[in-house]
Amino acid sequence: MRFKGKAWGMLMLLMIVTVVAAACSSNSGNSGSTTPGKTENTGTKAPAGSKNGNNAIIAVNANFITLDPHNAGDTNSISAVRSMYEGLMGFDENMNLKPVLADSYTISDDGLVYTLKLKEGVKFHDGTDFNAEAVKVNIERIIDEKNNLRMRRSFSRVTKVETPDANTVVITLSEPYNAFLNKLAMGLMISPAALEKYGDKIGQNPVGTGPFKYKEWIEGDRLVVEKNADYWQQGLPKVDSLTFKPVPENGSRIAMLKTGEADFIYPMPTEQVNEVQNDSNIVIDKTDSTIVRYVTLNTMKKPFDDLKVRQAINYAINKDAFIKVVKSGLGTALDSTMSSKTQFYSKQEGYGYDLEKAKQLLAEAGYPDGFEAEIWGENDSETMKGMQFIAQQLSLAGIKLEVKAMEGATLSDQINSPKSPEEAKIQMWFVSWSPSSGDADGATRGLFSSEMFPPAGSNTAYYKNENVDKWIAEANRSTDAEKAKAIYSDIQKQIWGDAPWAFLAVDQAISGKRAYLDGVKVYPDGSINVLNAEVKQ
Amino acid sequence: MGRYALQRLLGVIPLLFVVSVVVFMFIHLIPGDPARLIAGKEATLEEINGIREQLGLNNPLWQQYIDYMGRLFHGDLGNSIRSGLPVSDMLATRVMPTIWLTLFSMGWAVIMGVFIGIISAINRNKWPDHVGMITAISGISIPGFWLGLVLIQIFSVELGWFPTGGVDSWSSYVLPSLTLGAGIMSMLARFSRTSMLESMREDYIRTGRAKGLHEFIVVGRHALRNSLIQVVTVAGLQFGFLLGGSVMVETVFSIPGMGRMLVDSIAFRDYTVIQALLLLFATEFILINLLVDLLYGVLNPKIRFDSK
């Protein structure tokens, strides 16, 4: 019995330890008090009004990685930081540039010197002034090699930042860069005092000038931001707080929208759009995104080195059917190398579905009976569905594809480990791309410049065209928007004709919201804009 | 038993050492480059190399291991490669949801499972047995993912009784615990039925009945206690698995637990996070195994640990 007593003692001890541990950390994992206005669920017969008061809950599909705006790369983190931070420039809902913290700007004729007048009277959340010095501190933080921030590549051409007076910033570049204003829109402004105070921990303690102030971030569970009462735009924001919640499972995200636990969800699962369309409490928003879907064709490998083969593939795939089958009908056909929402887009003609023409082109290229090839892609269900669809379409033209679905990081290794085009094993890759700052350079150079063969960049078609290389450089140097537009139009036309891709579709950004919520919008780059959020009671 | 427990606890140390080596090698040898994954698709080579250098990924593997273990001995789990957050801070918010989920799921699963097992055993081949075993087989066969979504549809969307997910309140744990516990409950029901039936055939049961003991005492004290040994073994193993976090349930119910954390970190080859989690899981498993062994002694005094 003595033995038994001891064992029970140990068990009790274990239980006590567990309970104490639980009590100590219950505020981090289980507190219900911090969710603003959270009330009991009242079921489907709930009135259409918000159960979250004058607060909005936004459910997204993945965790936030960092709240350091100079280091955020994933769409969700970018949405989150943009609720608290602003840049000198910003985007409107069509990804057009507009001044935000800048009042006006001029660019020197040689394209090297950007002079920006700043808005006056803007304050950071910590009460310090936003001024030219703050801009200088931020840009210098971004370009400092030691910091190794993601944003550095966008500012690599900056050679100096001067502050002739408190409201004027002069930025000098080493060479002209047409997309620099877009890059400025990505460089959000952090309070220098906060940078001083928090150092490396700024990612967990955001202090910006934006409409919302940081309240709390429980990694993996929620991010709460609250109204910035001193916001410089009068009358904004109109809600008291926003809670962002990562909800990875599609079915759960849509359930939250149905119950009103979430007021806004993005992405809205495409297969559920029809189901909720008749629900008067739920509104679906769709907008063309900057995300393009395509298959790269390795132009240095047989048989894809033959233009006719690449064009045949483009004729053999029915894009409308692709959108219907793979994207649940939500998307538009890709009719250029970039989406219509990307800067300097120019619509191209051709490659309508024509199986006979595809067969004819293949025969002319010397493949009357088609050929065998591999198509690569990631192993998520939509990508696999897409690859199966493409394989089915091409089989009608005699091309037999072996579908190889791989885990993302493994696939990335396969693509980036070859040191030269000769070593590359890639034949076809079903993938998507979206330029991070909506600019034509971001949608072109990394994908089509011959300097960007893997591992240096993402030109996985190993596409090389001297004109295109030259034009890309020219477009970047041009300071005149009209001229840049003309050059990019030539670039798109050339690449479209050369068909280094099987051009497929442009994704739609689809979000769902409760009918009483206004002003929350998904922009074409997939970021969620919350500036005008309003709960109508 | 104290000495036995101490011996076992000390034995954990070399075991964990071996685990740490295996985990470290395994993680670093699978394909995938964290620097490239973190830098993103528009990154330049220079940038990627900068990150590799910063993270020490260019050093030989043995040196990376020694650096890692050195920090570990100072109680430093390092920072997440992907987010830069200290791994210990990340764990602090992730551990408790998983522990609560495990306790609730195991709690009802053990009670219900053993109860169904006993009822089925003493009513062998009668209708309660059939009902119990049909329940058990359904519980094992239903995919948890599907069950979770069905529960959300019924109890959150239609009836509005429980939240769809999250960890905002205790009621958030009801549906996930039901989902996670269903399979385990069923398994335990089958195990306890079988071992109860075996125990009931033993001589001491007949002796007990012959002595005129009440059937309740025969079943409850003598048969059950003996058959619990198997149940404890199975439950202990399951407990260890659940403490590793259930990816499926945590995903469906948006619970910020360790299962989701592991999957997210593997996708980005976030070495430090994966290492920390796997070491933690290994430790949990070893400790639970030890606890199960000790429980054997409680249930059956014939199993003794201290040698003379």
Side-chain angles (χ1 to χ4, degrees), chain A residues 30-323:
Chain A
N30 303 293
S31 65
S33 56
T34 39
T35 304
K38 180 105 187 136
T39 51
E40 275 307 302
N41 215 323
T42 47
T44 44
K45 293 192 180 65
S50 171
K51 56 173 70 168
N52 302 314
N54 193 29
N55 306 282
I57 296 180
I58 296 172
V60 294
N61 63 341
N63 285 349
F64 302 103
I65 306 305
T66 178
L67 299 181
D68 180 343
H70 300 161
N71 213 19
D74 60 297
T75 312
N76 286 320
S77 297
I78 289 174
S79 294
V81 295
R82 283 187 186 164
S83 71
M84 295 175 278
Y85 286 107
E86 295 169 313
L88 296 174
M89 303 294 291
F91 299 105
D92 71 6
E93 60 182 52
N94 288 311
M95 293 304 281
N96 295 316
L97 280 167
K98 59 171 190 185
V100 179
L101 292 178
D103 211 26
S104 62
Y105 60 89
T106 54
I107 307 171
S108 66
D109 290 340
D110 60 5
L112 291 178
V113 183
Y114 286 68
T115 306
L116 299 114
K117 287 279 173 202
L118 307 183
K119 285 216 166 63
E120 292 184 37
V122 177
K123 283 193 187 303
F124 287 107
H125 300 153
D126 58 7
T128 55
D129 285 330
F130 166 73
N131 54 27
E133 190 52 36
V135 176
K136 186 175 157 78
V137 168
N138 273 275
I139 295 181
E140 282 173 353
R141 173 178 192 251
I142 294 172
I143 59 180
D144 188 343
E145 258 175 61
K146 284 201 298 290
N147 294 331
N148 220 342
L149 296 161
R150 270 172 158 275
M151 209 52 69
R152 185 161 69 95
R153 70 182 86 122
S154 302
F155 287 79
S156 57
R157 291 172 182 79
V158 174
T159 53
K160 70 183 169 193
V161 184
E162 292 158 299
T163 54
D165 64 60
N167 290 306
T168 311
V169 178
V170 181
I171 302 170
T172 309
L173 307 184
S174 57
E175 54 180 338
Y177 186 35
N178 188 274
F180 187 65
L181 287 176
N182 292 66
K183 302 303 176 189
L184 275 180
M186 302 298 289
L188 308 182
M189 293 294 143
I190 307 174
S191 155
L195 273 176
E196 184 87 10
K197 182 171 164 194
Y198 297 113
D200 288 349
K201 303 260 180 219
I202 194 72
Q204 290 129 278
N205 301 279
V207 182
T209 60
F212 293 93
K213 292 194 287 193
Y214 173 75
K215 187 172 175 203
E216 67 166 350
W217 178 29
I218 295 166
E219 198 273 329
D221 185 34
R222 64 177 175 265
L223 165 70
V224 185
V225 296
E226 58 188 3
K227 179 179 181 161
N228 171 12
D230 303 318
Y231 187 54
W232 57 273
Q233 294 200 51
Q234 289 298 318
L236 294 174
K238 295 175 194 153
V239 293
D240 296 334
S241 81
L242 295 172
T243 302
F244 294 92
K245 280 178 167 266
V247 181
E249 166 52 32
N250 282 345
S252 316
R253 212 158 51 246
I254 186 94
M256 286 181 76
L257 182 66
K258 284 180 186 167
T259 61
E261 280 169 76
D263 303 305
F264 187 93
I265 63 169
Y266 176 73
M268 169 82 201
T270 49
E271 63 274 16
Q272 303 259 15
V273 168
N274 288 332
E275 190 198 321
V276 294
Q277 228 144 22
N278 299 325
D279 187 336
S280 61
N281 288 325
I282 293 175
V283 179
I284 305 293
D285 266 340
K286 299 171 198 161
T287 177
D288 281 351
S289 74
T290 54
I291 303 166
V292 294
R293 280 188 197 276
Y294 54 91
V295 179
T296 61
L297 309 169
N298 186 339
T299 59
M300 290 197 176
K301 265 212 165 6
K302 274 192 178 312
F304 306 105
D305 57 344
D306 190 324
L307 173 62
K308 285 185 173 155
V309 169
R310 301 197 301 266
Q311 288 178 333
I313 290 173
N314 270 290
Y315 282 113
I317 301 174
N318 185 339
K319 296 177 195 179
D320 295 330
F322 172 86
I323 292 164

Side-chain angles (χ1 to χ4, degrees), chain A residues 3-4 6-8 10-11 14 18-19 21-23 25-26 28-33 35 38 40-44 62-66 74 145-153 183 201 203-204 217-222 245-249 251-252 254-256 258-259 261 275 407-410 412-413 416 432-437 442 452 455-458, chain B residues 1-2 5 30-33 36-51 54 82-86 89-90 92-94 96-97 99-100 103 145 149 152-153 156-171 173 225 250-256 260-261 264 266-269 291 294-298 300-301 303-305:
Chain A
F3 157 80
K4 208 169 112 183
K6 264 193 190 170
W8 283 117
M10 272 193 66
L11 260 183
L14 185 82
T18 314
V19 170
S25 58
S26 65
S28 58
N30 303 293
S31 65
S33 56
T35 304
K38 180 105 187 136
E40 275 307 302
N41 215 323
T42 47
T44 44
N63 285 349
F64 302 103
I65 306 305
T66 178
D74 60 297
E145 258 175 61
K146 284 201 298 290
N147 294 331
N148 220 342
L149 296 161
R150 270 172 158 275
M151 209 52 69
R152 185 161 69 95
R153 70 182 86 122
K183 302 303 176 189
K201 303 260 180 219
Q204 290 129 278
W217 178 29
I218 295 166
E219 198 273 329
D221 185 34
R222 64 177 175 265
K245 280 178 167 266
V247 181
E249 166 52 32
S252 316
I254 186 94
M256 286 181 76
K258 284 180 186 167
T259 61
E261 280 169 76
E275 190 198 321
E407 187 264 348
T410 310
S412 163
D413 240 27
N416 290 303
S432 67
W433 182 272
S434 151
S436 61
S437 46
M452 289 296 178
S458 294
Chain B
M1 192 185 75
I30 53 175
D33 176 2
R36 184 173 283 278
L37 296 169
I38 294 160
K41 54 187 183 176
E42 290 181 36
T44 59
L45 259 191
E46 180 212 352
E47 200 174 334
I48 294 167
N49 287 333
I51 295 175
Q54 199 176 26
R82 188 177 180 210
S83 67
L85 300 174
D89 288 5
M90 290 170 79
T93 62
R94 298 290 193 136
M96 284 326 289
I99 289 189
W100 287 127
L103 288 178
F145 189 80
L149 287 176
I152 289 180
Q153 181 62 32
S156 306
V157 178
E158 303 291 338
L159 299 172
W161 292 354
F162 300 104
T164 53
V167 286
D168 290 337
S169 64
W170 293 108
S171 60
Y173 283 99
R225 185 154 165 188
E250 288 176 8
T251 304
V252 170
F253 291 98
S254 323
I255 293 170
R260 248 172 78 195
M261 188 177 176
D264 287 350
I266 289 174
F268 276 84
R269 302 294 188 267
L291 203 68
L294 296 180
L295 269 178
Y296 287 164
V298 178
N300 185 350
I303 304 175
R304 292 200 175 274
F305 301 107

